């Protein structure tokens, strides 16, 4: 997990930011999520009234130590408005099971939209998938987020016991894995289930994913009756267990609905406060599985109907569309879009712009979520705009300053050095523009050389016209790192960006940072509660997080490879054979001596050596 910036004197500012956010919450039922600085979900809760429930956490002072500890880690709050407290309960339960938040009670009953895929293998595999669709496989989705898919996989494993392992692992198993032992897989890898029975389980899972649970239950009940009448009580008992498990899943998963098998997307576009927001909510099998708010780029001169029309075309064409798309406002080309989507899907796709009854409730829910997303973004933009203006005034920066880039170096005793560049622009962080650089060819631990290399690589290209010149460059470090930056910009011929060093204070506490002005190397200290300093802290902390995440990933990758390289007798070819045969290092570690001996070039002595080295 990335290093957390220490809790510091800036904590009251964080608390004030959260309090300001709570003021924007609506008096509506919904689900709220507390997130830490690194994006980890700390807590998921439901509320009849979001504003009152979330606000109570910040108004009361008699919280238990556990709640106080949690609130001390909350960096931001996310919410989803739903139709009723009962639906909030269902959605809360789904999120808790999928995310396992640190501060929730857990009952363990165990850059595309994600799908659930059933592969076209002889023994099909159930898996989470993102990417281009392959006609050889069956895909279900898309879903608005990954935890819905992962939860569905877990449920289907319990009921139908389908395999989830990679094909490379499946092909090379010699004994059942742990999933079989805990009754999550029927172990087709070692022929503990015949192909016809496994195929029937796959077909039942597909029926369930298609929302045909009632049809599936009827089929299972009929088969159980036949088995019972034939005195095949073992089969009848197995079918009875499946029926009971499915009944529990239905009871837990589905919102009470008159259209319990409906698959639909609800799309609402709202214009307010100079912004356009499209909220996409997804209903699968009558169950609200989540929503996503999207803000289109370059939409300043367009109305909601035009933006919605563009979204429908860009989102659904070349992507599977559900049978019903409920939308507002009505796009001008609604009839054409419906025809195109129907042709693409090979079935009728209804574009409903004037729904009634329950479907209108769903559309109102999507519109409220879009309005709320705009309110949140407007509040955030005002805050960031104020911070940037305060920074420009305090440091006498050019008034047009908008784009800020920040660099940080991360390594462990000189190992696996990684540099990060994060970008603040258009009033917010821009993750799609972040970049990491692997640093090579320097003396281990030489931060000055590392900084010089990354800046040369970054701004050499920008000086050649391959990128956007920033207005301000932040260098995480003292005068030494800042000097390297000055030399690099002089070498590549960039004079426009303002350079600023950000050095930690004497006690390394946030709020005591020293800002070092380029050329003069004058040191400036802004008050701990200064809005401009808070913006610098935010960008600097994001740069640090991004660098250390990349460093740890690079270091872990190097150590995975070296664990096999360090074993005498295992060269590149044997290492590749082992990794391919067992599907990765974890598979090699789990293999027995007998399994290892099945790999070409691995005799009994070497197999014992590998087994001992990886288990030692």
């Amino acid at each position: 997990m990335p290093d957390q910036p220490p809790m510091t004197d800036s904590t009251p500012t964080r608390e004030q930011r959260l309090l300001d956010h709570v003021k924007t919450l609506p008096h509506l039922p919904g689900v709220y999520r507390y997130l830490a600085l690194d994006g980890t979900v700390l807590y998921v809760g439901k509320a009849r009234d979001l504003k009152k429930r979330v606000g109570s956490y910040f108004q009361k002072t008699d919280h238990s130590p556990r709640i106080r500890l949690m609130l001390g880690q909350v960096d931001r709050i996310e919410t989803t408005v739903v139709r009723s407290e009962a639906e909030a309960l269902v959605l809360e339960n789904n999120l808790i099971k999928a995310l396992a938040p640190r501060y929730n009670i857990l009952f363990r009953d165990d850059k595309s939209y994600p799908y659930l895929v059933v592969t076209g293998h002889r023994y099909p595999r159930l898996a989470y998938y993102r990417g281009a669709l392959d006609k050889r496989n069956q895909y279900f989705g898309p879903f608005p987020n990954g935890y819905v898919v992962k939860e569905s996989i877990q449920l289907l494993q319990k009921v139908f016991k389908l395999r989830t392992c990679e094909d490379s692992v499946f092909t090379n198993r010699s004994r059942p894995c742990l999933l079989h032992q805990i009754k999550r897989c029927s172990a087709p890898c070692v022929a503990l289930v015949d192909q016809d029975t496994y195929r029937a389980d796959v077909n039942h899972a597909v029926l369930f994913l298609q929302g045909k649970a009632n049809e599936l239950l009827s089929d299972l009940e009929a088969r159980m009756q036949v088995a019972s009448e034939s005195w095949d009580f073992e089969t009848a008992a197995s079918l009875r267990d499946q029926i009971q498990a499915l009944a529990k899943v239905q009871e837990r998963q589905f919102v009470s609905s008159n259209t319990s098998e409906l698959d639909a997307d609800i799309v609402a576009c709202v214009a307010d406060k100079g912004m356009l927001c499209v909220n996409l909510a997804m209903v699968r099998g009558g169950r609200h599985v989540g929503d996503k708010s999207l803000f289109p780029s370059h939409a300043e001169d367009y109305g909601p109907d035009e933006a919605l029309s563009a979204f429908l075309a860009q989102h659904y064409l070349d992507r599977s569309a559900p049978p019903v798309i409920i939308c507002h406002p009505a796009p001008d080309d609604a009839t054409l879009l419906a025809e195109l989507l129907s042709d693409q899907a090979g079935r009728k796709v209804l574009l409903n712009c004037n729904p009634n009854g329950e479907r209108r409730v769903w559309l109102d829910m999507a519109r409220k979520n879009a309005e709320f997303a705009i309110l949140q973004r407007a509040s955030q933009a005002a805050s960031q705009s104020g911070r940037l203006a305060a920074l420009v005034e305090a440091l006498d920066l050019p008034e047009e300053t908008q784009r800020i880039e920040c660099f940080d170096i991360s390594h462990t005793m000189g190992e696996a050095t990684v540099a990060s560049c994060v970008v603040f622009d258009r009033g917010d962080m821009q993750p799609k523009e972040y970049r990491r650089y692997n640093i090579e060819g320097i003396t281990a631990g030489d931060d000055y050389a590392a900084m010089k290399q990354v800046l040369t690589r970054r701004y050499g290209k920008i000086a050649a016209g391959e990128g956007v010149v920033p207005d301000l460059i932040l260098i995480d470090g003292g005068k030494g790192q800042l000097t390297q930056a000055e030399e690099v910009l002089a070498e590549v011929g960039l004079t426009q960006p303002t350079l600023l060093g950000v050095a930690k204070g004497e006690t390394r506490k946030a709020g005591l940072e020293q800002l070092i002005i380029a050329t003069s190397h004058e040191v400036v200290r802004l008050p701990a509660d200064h809005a401009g300093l808070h913006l610098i802290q935010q960008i600097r902390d994001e740069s640090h997080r991004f660098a250390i995440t990349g460093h740890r990933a690079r270091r872990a990758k190097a150590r995975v490879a070296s664990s096999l390289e360090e074993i005498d007798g295992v060269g590149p070819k044997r290492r590749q054979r082992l990794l391919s045969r067992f599907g990765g290092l974890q598979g090699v570690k789990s293999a027995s001596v007998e399994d290892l001996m099945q790999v070409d070039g691995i005799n009994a002595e070497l197999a014992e050596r590998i087994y001992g080295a990886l288990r030692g």
Side-chain angles (χ1 to χ4, degrees):
M1 180 179 291
D3 287 350
Q4 293 290 324
M7 299 300 291
T8 67
D9 296 340
S10 63
T11 299
T13 301
R14 177 189 65 86
E15 292 174 351
Q16 185 59 51
R17 174 167 53 83
L18 292 174
L19 286 171
D20 290 343
H21 177 82
V22 170
K23 293 176 183 177
T24 70
L25 296 180
H27 291 287
L28 293 170
V31 172
Y32 56 93
R33 300 175 288 281
Y34 290 151
L35 284 79
L37 183 63
D38 64 356
T40 303
V41 177
L42 299 171
Y43 184 79
V44 175
K46 68 173 180 64
R48 179 184 302 172
D49 184 312
L50 279 170
K51 188 166 189 174
K52 288 183 179 179
R53 181 73 182 102
V54 178
S56 68
Y57 281 92
F58 301 93
Q59 293 168 358
K60 294 180 180 179
T61 57
D62 58 345
H63 292 302
S64 68
R66 181 178 176 83
I67 297 299
R68 286 199 298 271
L69 180 62
M70 177 191 72
L71 292 176
Q73 300 174 50
V74 176
D75 180 68
R76 68 182 191 273
I77 304 167
E78 292 183 351
T79 59
T80 298
V81 176
V82 295
R83 295 175 292 178
S84 65
E85 188 177 14
E87 187 167 339
L89 175 62
V90 175
L91 184 56
E92 176 200 36
N93 196 40
N94 290 337
L95 294 176
I96 289 173
K97 289 182 178 178
L99 301 173
R102 190 184 314 164
Y103 291 95
N104 273 101
I105 299 174
L106 302 177
F107 296 92
R108 299 188 182 275
D109 59 346
D110 316 36
K111 264 173 184 219
S112 60
Y113 289 93
Y115 288 81
L116 192 154
V117 60
V118 177
T119 66
H121 193 275
R122 181 185 177 194
Y123 289 95
R125 173 187 176 223
L126 191 67
Y128 175 99
Y129 182 78
R130 287 181 187 265
L133 307 188
D134 187 334
K135 293 182 179 178
R136 294 172 296 181
N137 305 323
Q138 289 182 274
Y139 297 91
F140 300 91
F143 295 94
N145 45 61
Y147 50 75
V148 177
V149 180
K150 292 172 184 176
E151 184 200 26
S152 298
I153 290 174
Q154 291 177 354
L155 292 171
L156 292 170
Q157 278 184 293
K158 293 177 188 178
V159 178
F160 303 109
K161 301 179 176 59
L162 303 185
R163 74 177 183 94
T164 56
C165 57
E166 296 281 354
D167 289 349
S168 58
V169 175
F170 175 83
T171 305
N172 295 289
R173 292 295 310 183
S174 60
R175 61 179 187 275
C177 66
L178 178 63
L179 286 174
H180 174 71
Q181 297 176 33
I182 62 174
K183 302 185 186 301
R184 297 293 184 271
C185 179
S186 54
C189 55
V190 290
L192 292 188
V193 59
D194 64 79
Q195 188 176 0
D196 290 341
T197 302
Y198 188 82
R199 175 59 66 178
D201 287 336
V202 171
N203 292 337
H204 289 154
V206 168
L207 282 175
F208 181 76
L209 289 168
Q210 291 173 339
K212 299 177 180 177
N214 293 332
E215 180 180 332
L216 172 58
L217 284 170
S218 298
D219 179 58
L220 291 175
E221 288 169 355
R223 289 179 57 200
M224 181 182 69
Q225 186 65 30
V226 170
S228 178
E229 291 174 354
S230 302
W231 291 37
D232 185 357
F233 298 118
E234 184 176 349
T235 300
S238 176
L239 291 168
R240 177 205 60 202
D241 293 343
Q242 274 197 341
I243 291 169
Q244 291 177 347
L246 275 173
K248 289 181 180 178
V249 168
Q250 277 193 303
E251 178 183 336
R252 183 170 64 248
Q253 288 294 313
F254 291 99
V255 181
S256 176
S257 172
N258 296 324
T259 52
S260 60
E261 294 184 355
L262 176 68
D263 283 359
D265 282 357
I266 301 93
V267 187
C269 184
V270 173
D272 194 17
K273 303 184 185 302
M275 287 181 278
L276 277 169
C277 177
V278 174
N279 182 265
L280 169 64
M282 296 183 178
V283 172
R284 295 295 180 267
R287 178 169 60 104
H288 174 228
V289 296
D291 72 294
K292 180 173 289 189
S293 291
L294 304 104
F295 290 86
S297 301
H298 314 124
E300 294 84 359
D301 299 324
Y302 293 91
D305 54 341
E306 295 170 300
L308 182 64
S309 180
F311 171 79
L312 292 175
Q314 295 174 25
H315 181 76
Y316 291 108
L317 293 180
D318 299 324
R319 176 183 280 132
S320 175
V324 178
I325 300 174
I326 302 166
C327 58
H328 179 84
D332 295 334
D333 50 359
T335 303
L336 176 61
L337 276 170
E339 291 176 356
L340 288 172
L341 295 178
S342 297
D343 290 342
Q344 175 181 280
R347 53 171 165 73
K348 183 175 179 61
V349 174
L350 175 65
L351 206 60
N352 188 348
C353 304
N354 187 27
N356 296 314
E358 185 178 43
R359 299 185 185 192
R360 176 162 291 280
V361 175
W362 285 343
L363 184 57
D364 289 341
M365 176 183 69
R367 292 174 61 184
K368 288 174 182 175
N369 277 326
E371 292 167 356
F372 180 49
I374 288 176
L375 188 62
Q376 287 182 303
R377 174 163 284 210
S379 176
Q380 179 186 15
S383 174
Q384 296 290 53
S385 176
R387 287 179 171 186
L388 180 59
L391 180 64
V392 167
E393 181 181 357
L395 300 182
D396 196 23
L397 299 174
E399 291 184 4
E400 64 273 13
T401 297
Q402 289 292 328
R403 185 179 180 90
I404 303 174
E405 296 187 355
C406 181
F407 294 83
D408 188 27
I409 307 294
S410 181
H411 59 79
T412 302
M413 302 296 288
E415 177 191 1
T417 303
V418 171
S420 72
C421 172
V422 302
V423 178
F424 176 91
D425 197 8
R426 303 185 294 278
D428 203 356
M429 303 304 299
Q430 302 296 325
K432 291 183 179 180
E433 299 184 42
Y434 292 4
R435 295 293 182 270
R436 289 194 185 101
Y437 300 83
N438 292 334
I439 304 300
E440 307 285 358
I442 65 170
T443 303
D446 188 345
D447 286 354
Y448 294 169
M451 185 63 73
K452 184 172 184 178
Q453 183 179 131
V454 64
L455 293 173
T456 301
R457 290 165 63 181
R458 175 77 173 178
Y459 294 114
K461 289 186 176 181
I462 288 180
E466 299 181 25
V468 180
V469 179
D471 301 307
L472 174 64
I473 300 173
L474 302 180
I475 304 297
D476 187 23
K479 294 181 180 179
Q481 284 91 340
L482 183 61
T483 299
Q484 297 296 321
E486 291 171 329
E487 292 176 359
V488 168
L489 291 191
E491 289 174 7
V492 301
L494 281 181
T495 57
Q496 177 182 339
T498 301
L499 275 170
L500 186 68
V502 184
K504 296 179 176 64
E506 295 179 1
T507 60
R508 303 179 69 85
K509 294 178 65 177
L512 299 180
E513 287 87 353
Q514 297 178 340
L515 307 181
I516 307 171
I517 307 299
T519 307
S520 68
H521 290 186
E522 175 189 354
V523 176
V524 176
R525 285 185 177 175
L526 298 178
D529 60 352
H530 194 282
L533 179 60
H534 296 160
L535 178 60
I536 289 178
Q537 290 170 338
Q538 175 191 353
I539 299 172
R540 187 270 320 274
D541 290 346
E542 178 68 354
S543 177
H544 178 65
R545 179 201 66 78
F546 194 59
I548 199 168
T549 302
H551 159 64
R552 287 175 173 173
R554 187 183 180 195
R555 185 180 63 186
K557 183 177 180 181
R559 291 180 178 177
V560 163
S562 66
S563 60
L564 282 174
E565 290 174 355
E566 293 167 359
I567 302 173
D568 291 338
V570 180
K573 290 184 178 179
R574 284 175 177 162
R575 184 167 65 250
Q576 183 60 41
R577 288 172 190 158
L578 285 165
L579 293 173
S580 298
R581 179 67 178 271
F582 298 103
L585 184 66
Q586 196 58 45
V588 179
K589 288 181 176 180
S590 302
S592 66
V593 173
E594 292 76 14
D595 292 337
L596 295 170
M597 289 173 60
Q598 301 300 314
V599 179
D600 186 29
I602 308 292
N603 58 28
E605 180 185 353
L606 183 54
E608 290 280 4
R609 194 183 311 150
I610 294 170
Y611 184 85
L614 295 180
R615 295 296 186 94

